[in-house]
């Protein structure tokens, strides 16, 4: 079909996809999706389910009628060597009446499609099919009226029947491929158990919930809308939202998202987001935006389909003229023209890309990989470099213990960390949290601290295990002229790590080096990207010493440090000037200009907020390994598109000459019905191949995530 949005306009029902900006309006106040959220496939209100039902109904009604026409056909009777086996007065009139019913009822979707295509000035598949059946039907009527020739009623009837079957099967495939939004909508429960101020429970529609309401989520129930846990503890299955296969533990203070399935424990959740602000509503908006966004590959397919339409019309007319000039009977020449028209319908070519787009959109949405711009997603297959932000992307964005140094023989590293953790257990300082996290990771239990005192600008003091313990900054010891001299301390300073000293009775017994901890997932993500031939880089505003240490730890190809937020986009542009196609991966507002500048902007770790306007792709999980996944899926998606385009175009290169009668010297001659069957088969092959992307992609994604996790472990 010539136009990008015409691939399903073929029976007069134009499909309208809302934009992402429009999508939240389809969500009611409580976050539940209304029935119209994606049922608006067409200005007349017909969706794919209605199309399936319509073609199915027309097929089954036309099937017995077609059998009657075939049995009454004199040509078919002669073909089987039983001429006149079914003959009675008025049999030709009955054949004509039944065939006319098939033409007008079964052919109506194609005739209305013809009207729509001509009105838009873009002839396509419906134009070809309609010209074929109209030519055959009108010619047959003329023969019945006395014109010398053969009646084409049985060919017309079987052609229409096969086309109805093909469109029925295709519409079923399209409906299955376009089910992403419906699948997401089905995640939302219809009702919720709201808790009144006096503790009473009441079952209310999700639409009636407001921010600040408290709801009870029973074991096995669905979280109605976004909120945070205020009571209870459970494991929550978020796999349909994020692709995370394992349930995620939730306790007081943790966020939950609507549509997630609760495990074995009851949770009391306070609602903080409803309507279009909910995670699921944002995801649905992004899916609709992705489905409506233009694909460069689709534009190519549309141009090719438009060209093929005119080729079919010209070749069909030329075939009629050439055979007549060669002295062939009008019936034979007309039959060749009809077959050319039918078999060369560019339907498979028009569906080659849209079906793959629908399947990949559904696949990515189910796995927490949200596409905002399809053209950018397609470009991912050609990426040459991936640039990561550091803090919060490759690192956790929080202090962690990198190294513990004992400065006295009588104190081990674990003892130094234990005493420091005991002191810091009473503090909320980021360094204190980092020390406590480091102790917990090493299985060290923090002892109780008594008499905790904060030392402004210096550190803190307390009594731990009966000893006077202090954790202070290097400056405190430096001002007192008591800073220890140790090459290990110099190495930590050179690495850009934050040092604190642990004192016992004012004597330095050890030092703790803290750093922004590198994610365990980052190492495997970088390794996999480099294995694919990609150059992996880091862009950060942090100090050079810190950045280079992270770069060495991860094995990055290049590190650019001390880059101000407004300089990040310029730095990405510089990399692009070197001839590299660049993906930028970031998580903060300060990354927005760089995300926009890159060939593919990837926002990572969106969590429950997916409104990353500068990004082309949003990765819900805060996991850099999903960058590997999105690139792998982009390549798989493009491969499917290329396969479908090759089949759609290659099929016509072979089929059109055969339909025109070029194969007659070798005994190869396609009839209109067989041509219709082959055309429909071609369309079905394209649809099934697109559906394979869903199964293969799901399996490939699961395997990839398992291998990444295994390699990390």
């Amino acid at each position: 079909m010539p136009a990008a949005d015409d691939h399903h306009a073929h029976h007069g029902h134009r499909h309208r996809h809302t934009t992402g900006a429009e999508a939240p309006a389809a969500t009611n106040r409580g976050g539940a999706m209304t029935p119209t959220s994606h049922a608006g496939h067409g200005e007349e209100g017909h969706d794919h389910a209605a199309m399936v039902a319509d073609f199915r109904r027309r097929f089954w009604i036309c099937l017995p009628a077609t059998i009657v026409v075939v049995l009454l056909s004199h040509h078919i009777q002669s073909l089987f060597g039983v001429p006149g086996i079914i003959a009675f007065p008025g049999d030709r009139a009955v054949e004509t009446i039944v065939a006319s019913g098939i033409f007008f009822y079964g052919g109506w979707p194609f005739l209305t499609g013809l009207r729509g295509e001509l009105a838009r000035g873009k002839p396509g598949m419906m134009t070809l099919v309609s010209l074929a059946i109209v030519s055959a039907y009108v010619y047959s009527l003329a023969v019945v009226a006395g014109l010398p020739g053969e009646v084409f009623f049985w060919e017309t009837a079987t052609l229409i029947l096969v086309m109805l079957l093909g469109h029925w099967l295709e519409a079923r495939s399209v409906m299955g491929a376009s089910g992403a939004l419906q699948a997401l909508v089905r995640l939302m429960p219809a009702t919720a158990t709201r808790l009144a101020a006096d503790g009473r429970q009441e079952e209310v529609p999700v639409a009636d919930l407001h921010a600040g309401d408290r709801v009870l989520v029973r074991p096995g129930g669905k979280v109605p809308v976004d909120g945070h846990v205020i009571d209870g503890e459970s494991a929550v299955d978020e796999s349909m939202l994020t692709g995370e296969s394992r349930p995620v533990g939730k306790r007081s203070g943790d966020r939950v998202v609507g549509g997630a399935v609760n495990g074995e424990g009851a949770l009391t959740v306070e609602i903080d987001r409803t309507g279009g602000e909910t995670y699921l509503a944002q995801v649905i908006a992004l899916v609709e935006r992705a489905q409506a966004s233009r694909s460069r590959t689709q534009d190519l397919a549309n141009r090719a389909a438009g060209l093929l339409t005119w080729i079919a019309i010209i070749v069909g007319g030329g075939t009629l003229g050439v055979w007549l000039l060669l002295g062939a009977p009008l019936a034979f020449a007309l039959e060749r023209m009809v077959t050319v028209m039918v078999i060369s319908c560019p339907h498979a070519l028009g569906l080659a890309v849209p079906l793959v787009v629908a399947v990949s959109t559904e696949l990515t949405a189910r796995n927490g990989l949200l596409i905002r711009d399809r053209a950018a997603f397609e470009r991912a297959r050609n990426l040459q470099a991936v640039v990561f932000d550091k803090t919060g992307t490759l690192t956790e964005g929080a202090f962690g213990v990198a190294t513990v140094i004992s400065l006295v023989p009588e104190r081990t590293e674990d003892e130094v960390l234990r005493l420091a953790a005991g002191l810091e257990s009473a503090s909320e300082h980021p360094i204190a949290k980092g020390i406590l996290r480091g102790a917990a990771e090493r299985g060290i239990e923090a002892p109780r601290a008594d008499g905790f005192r904060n030392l402004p600008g210096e550190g803190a003091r307390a009594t731990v295990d009966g000893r006077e313990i202090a954790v202070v900054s290097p400056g405190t010891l430096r001002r007192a002229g008591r800073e220890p001299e140790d090459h290990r301390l110099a190495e930590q300073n050179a690495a850009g790590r934050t040092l604190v000293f642990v004192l016992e009775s004012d004597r330095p017994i050890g030092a703790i080096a803290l750093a922004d901890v590198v994610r365990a997932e980052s190492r495997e993500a970088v390794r996999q990207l480099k294995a694919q031939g990609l150059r992996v880089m880091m862009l950060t505003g942090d100090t050079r010493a810190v950045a280079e240490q992270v770069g060495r730890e991860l094995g990055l190809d290049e590190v650019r440090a001390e880059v101000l937020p407004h300089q990040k986009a310029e730095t990405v542009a510089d990399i692009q000037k070197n001839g590299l196609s660049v993906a930028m991966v970031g998580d903060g507002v300060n990354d927005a200009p760089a995300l926009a500048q890159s060939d593919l902007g990837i926002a990572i770790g969106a969590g429950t907020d997916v409104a990353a306007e500068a990004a082309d792709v949003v990765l819900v999980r805060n996991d850099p390994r999903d960058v590997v996944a999105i690139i792998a899926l982009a390549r798989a998606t493009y491969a499917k598109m290329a396969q479908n385009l090759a089949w759609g175009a290659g099929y016509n290169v072979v089929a059109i000459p055969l339909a025109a009668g070029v194969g007659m010297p070798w005994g190869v001659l396609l009839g209109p019905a067989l041509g219709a069957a082959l055309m429909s088969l071609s369309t079905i092959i394209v649809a099934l191949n697109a559906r394979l992307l869903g199964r293969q992609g799901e399996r490939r994604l699961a395997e990839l995530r398992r291998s990444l996790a295994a390699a990390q472990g």
Side-chain angles (χ1 to χ4, degrees):
M1 297 342 103
D5 58 352
D6 288 344
H7 64 276
H8 283 138
H10 45 81
H11 35 91
H13 305 317
R14 296 226 357 136
H15 291 228
R16 183 181 67 85
H17 291 277
T18 59
T19 65
E22 298 171 308
T27 310
N28 63 31
R29 185 179 57 189
M33 304 303 297
T34 68
T36 61
S37 58
H38 197 57
H41 272 33
E43 294 167 2
E44 290 84 6
H46 294 268
D47 60 9
H48 284 117
M51 295 175 200
V52 171
D54 184 53
F55 282 117
R56 181 178 62 243
R57 181 175 59 254
R58 293 179 188 271
F59 172 81
W60 286 117
I61 290 175
C62 289
L63 177 60
T66 300
I67 294 173
V68 171
V69 172
V70 170
L71 292 176
L72 291 175
S73 170
H74 296 176
H75 178 79
I76 294 297
Q77 293 176 24
S78 299
L79 186 65
F80 284 93
V82 288
I85 191 173
I86 302 178
F88 53 87
D91 57 352
R92 179 54 57 88
V94 173
E95 182 185 1
T96 303
I97 293 171
V98 176
S100 297
I102 296 171
F103 175 79
F104 287 107
Y105 179 72
W108 187 251
F110 311 109
L111 298 174
T112 56
L114 166 68
R115 183 182 62 192
E117 289 180 353
L118 295 180
R120 295 191 296 275
K122 296 177 179 178
M125 178 176 178
M126 293 300 103
T127 301
L128 295 177
V129 174
S130 297
L131 287 176
I133 63 175
V134 169
S135 301
Y137 177 71
V138 172
Y139 173 75
S140 297
L141 285 181
V143 171
V144 171
L147 182 74
E150 293 185 25
V151 172
F152 271 11
F153 283 142
W154 81 269
E155 288 97 335
T156 306
T158 53
L159 171 59
I160 291 172
L161 188 71
V162 172
M163 294 296 294
L164 288 173
L165 177 62
H167 279 67
W168 172 19
L169 297 177
E170 175 228 315
R172 285 181 59 186
S173 295
V174 171
M175 185 171 64
S178 305
L181 294 178
Q182 286 82 359
L184 290 171
V185 170
R186 286 195 296 269
L187 292 178
M188 296 301 301
T191 62
T193 304
R194 183 166 60 190
L195 300 176
D198 58 3
R200 287 184 299 105
Q201 300 180 8
E202 54 177 345
E203 205 72 15
V204 298
V206 171
D208 292 344
L209 296 176
H210 302 271
D213 286 348
R214 295 185 174 185
V215 295
L216 175 65
V217 185
R218 296 184 176 89
K222 288 185 177 180
V223 179
V225 288
D226 297 6
H228 60 275
V229 178
I230 60 174
D231 188 38
E233 186 172 341
S234 185
V236 175
D237 183 358
E238 299 177 341
S239 58
M240 287 297 294
L241 302 168
T242 67
E244 177 59 62
S245 59
R246 294 174 297 179
V248 180
K250 302 289 184 181
R251 60 181 63 185
S252 181
D254 290 338
R255 290 193 54 76
V256 290
V257 295
V261 180
N262 188 24
E264 297 181 353
L267 296 175
T268 301
V269 176
E270 183 173 309
I271 296 169
D272 50 28
R273 290 185 181 181
T274 60
E277 296 179 350
T278 63
Y279 168 82
L280 195 57
Q282 292 181 63
V283 171
I284 289 172
L286 286 184
V287 171
E288 287 196 326
R289 172 173 175 162
Q291 291 180 335
S293 64
R294 293 183 66 83
S295 164
R296 293 184 177 180
T297 310
Q298 180 62 55
D299 289 343
L300 173 63
N302 289 333
R303 290 194 295 271
L307 178 62
L308 187 59
T309 297
W310 287 111
I311 290 174
I313 292 173
I314 294 169
V315 173
T319 298
L320 176 67
V322 168
W323 280 113
L324 291 176
L325 289 174
L326 292 174
L330 176 60
F332 178 82
L334 187 62
E335 181 185 75
R336 292 300 92 212
M337 183 197 75
V338 169
T339 307
V340 169
M341 292 286 193
V342 172
I343 206 167
S344 60
C345 289
H347 203 202
L349 197 58
L351 287 174
V353 173
L355 286 179
V356 175
V357 167
V359 171
S360 68
T361 301
E362 179 181 9
L363 176 61
T364 53
R366 279 203 314 266
N367 288 277
L369 316 172
L370 308 177
I371 301 168
R372 300 184 70 251
D373 188 315
R374 291 229 52 99
F377 175 66
E378 290 177 22
R379 292 196 296 270
R381 72 187 190 277
N382 295 322
L383 287 174
Q384 297 164 293
V386 179
V387 180
F388 286 93
D389 173 52
K390 180 181 76 71
T391 306
T393 303
L394 291 174
T395 66
E396 294 183 357
F399 278 118
V401 174
T403 303
V404 180
I405 300 171
S406 174
L407 298 174
V408 296
E410 61 268 26
R411 296 293 185 209
T412 65
E413 293 177 0
D414 284 356
E415 287 175 328
V416 171
L417 184 57
R418 177 178 174 275
L419 292 170
L423 167 64
E424 300 291 12
S425 62
S427 175
E428 292 294 323
H429 195 278
I431 288 178
K433 292 180 179 179
I435 290 174
L436 289 168
R437 187 181 301 110
E441 290 172 354
R442 298 190 184 197
I444 298 173
E445 186 175 348
R448 177 177 174 175
D450 298 310
F452 177 85
R453 290 170 291 154
N454 186 48
L455 306 176
E458 295 184 0
R461 287 182 178 272
T463 301
V464 181
D465 288 346
R467 306 181 183 99
E468 188 71 16
I469 302 298
V471 176
V472 300
S473 66
T476 301
L477 294 184
R478 194 178 302 118
R479 288 189 294 271
R482 297 165 52 204
E483 187 175 13
E485 293 185 5
D486 192 303
H487 69 92
R488 294 173 296 173
L489 301 176
E491 290 171 357
Q492 297 303 315
N493 282 320
R497 290 170 175 163
T498 299
L499 275 174
V500 294
F501 287 93
V502 182
L503 311 183
E504 183 179 341
S505 302
D506 290 332
R507 174 195 176 202
I509 62 171
I512 300 173
L514 296 107
D516 190 359
V517 180
V518 174
R519 297 183 184 277
E521 304 89 346
S522 298
R523 296 182 178 87
E524 186 58 21
V526 171
R527 190 188 70 79
Q528 285 278 351
L529 291 170
K530 293 178 71 172
Q532 295 179 21
L534 295 167
R535 187 172 177 82
V536 186
M537 310 164 69
M538 185 176 73
L539 191 61
T540 179
D542 215 334
T543 64
R544 184 164 302 280
V546 172
E548 289 179 349
Q549 172 62 28
V550 173
R552 285 192 296 271
E553 190 171 343
L554 291 174
L556 299 176
D557 295 308
E558 186 177 344
V559 171
R560 302 200 182 192
E562 300 176 3
V563 180
L564 297 176
H566 69 276
Q567 297 173 323
K568 287 189 174 183
E570 299 171 8
T571 306
V572 171
D574 287 341
I575 298 171
Q576 291 171 321
K577 288 177 183 177
N578 294 329
L580 297 177
S581 177
V582 180
M584 176 68 196
V585 186
D587 71 328
V589 176
N590 63 333
D591 298 319
L595 293 173
Q597 173 64 41
S598 64
D599 298 283
L600 179 69
I602 302 175
I604 189 171
T608 57
D609 185 6
V610 297
E613 290 299 323
D616 303 308
V617 175
V618 178
L619 307 182
V620 174
R621 303 195 313 164
N622 203 352
D623 191 337
R625 294 174 298 182
D626 278 350
V627 176
V628 182
I630 200 69
I631 294 174
L633 286 176
R635 291 174 175 175
T637 297
Y638 186 78
K640 281 297 180 191
M641 289 180 181
Q643 291 169 13
N644 278 359
L645 288 174
W647 172 262
Y651 154 81
N652 283 283
V653 170
V654 175
I656 290 177
L658 292 177
V662 172
M664 275 192 67
W666 299 276
V668 179
L669 188 64
L670 300 177
L674 181 57
L678 290 176
M679 190 282 297
S680 297
L681 180 62
S682 175
T683 301
I684 293 168
I685 288 173
V686 165
L688 292 177
N689 190 44
R691 292 296 297 166
L692 281 176
L693 174 64
R695 296 183 181 181
Q696 294 170 347
E698 199 75 65
R699 186 167 58 251
R700 169 63 179 144
L701 189 59
E703 292 172 353
L704 178 63
R705 283 177 166 170
R706 280 198 300 269
S707 67
L708 290 170
Q712 177 194 326

